[in-house]
Amino acid sequence: QVELVESGGGSVQAGGSLRLSCAPSGNPYVAYSMAWFRQAPGKEREGVAGIDNAGVIVYADSVKGRFTISEDNTRTTLYLLMNNLKPEDTATYFCALSDRKWLLESQFLKTSTYQYWGQGTQVTVSS
């Protein structure tokens, strides 16, 4: 069973930065795709950024130029560097993993693409 554990959330002021980490364990797949999602209270879960096995990356328009998704060389840890944070970025952030190696652009930020989810880490941005 694949388990995903997020870390790195916290509280910052607007304009600040945070880096989230996600470490998959028990992963039976040689190759896979991963992504970050977020969910604010009363809102649906939305895709933030995704990366597939080929290294193709897709960002939500709302975070382009501010957030960067990356992996370490062995693909054992997924990161999300968040710069210039805004109050509207406040949400619980989730790491997700799909057993699909390559994704169509339309698939990267859809919840239905991913089979495994972490428990989430809270990010709070104050104005």
Side-chain angles (χ1 to χ4, degrees):
Q1 181 69 23
V2 176
E3 293 186 358
L4 303 173
V5 179
E6 303 100 335
S7 61
S11 298
V12 296
Q13 291 189 329
S17 299
L18 284 173
R19 190 178 78 160
L20 306 182
S21 300
C22 173
S25 62
N27 181 17
Y29 305 112
V30 175
Y32 44 81
S33 301
M34 295 191 72
W36 289 99
F37 286 75
R38 65 186 182 187
Q39 188 167 19
K43 294 187 176 181
E44 292 191 356
R45 191 168 297 188
E46 64 173 359
V48 174
I51 182 169
D52 73 3
N53 188 59
V56 177
I57 292 173
V58 172
Y59 292 100
D61 289 342
S62 59
V63 306
K64 280 181 181 176
R66 300 189 298 122
F67 290 13
T68 303
I69 188 172
S70 64
E71 298 173 313
D72 65 3
N73 291 338
T74 58
R75 302 201 78 199
T76 55
T77 306
L78 179 73
Y79 301 101
L80 184 68
L81 176 61
M82 305 182 293
N83 293 323
N84 191 22
L85 282 160
K86 304 176 181 181
E88 51 265 42
D89 295 319
T90 295
T92 301
Y93 283 71
F94 297 90
C95 174
L97 185 148
S98 170
D99 60 2
R100 299 178 186 179
K101 294 195 295 185
W102 303 292
L103 303 178
L104 299 174
E105 184 174 354
S106 61
Q107 295 174 317
F108 275 82
L109 303 182
K110 286 186 176 179
T111 56
S112 59
T113 299
Y114 301 90
Q115 297 83 39
Y116 302 98
W117 294 84
Q119 293 185 333
T121 185
Q122 179 66 35
V123 172
T124 303
V125 185
S126 58
S127 57

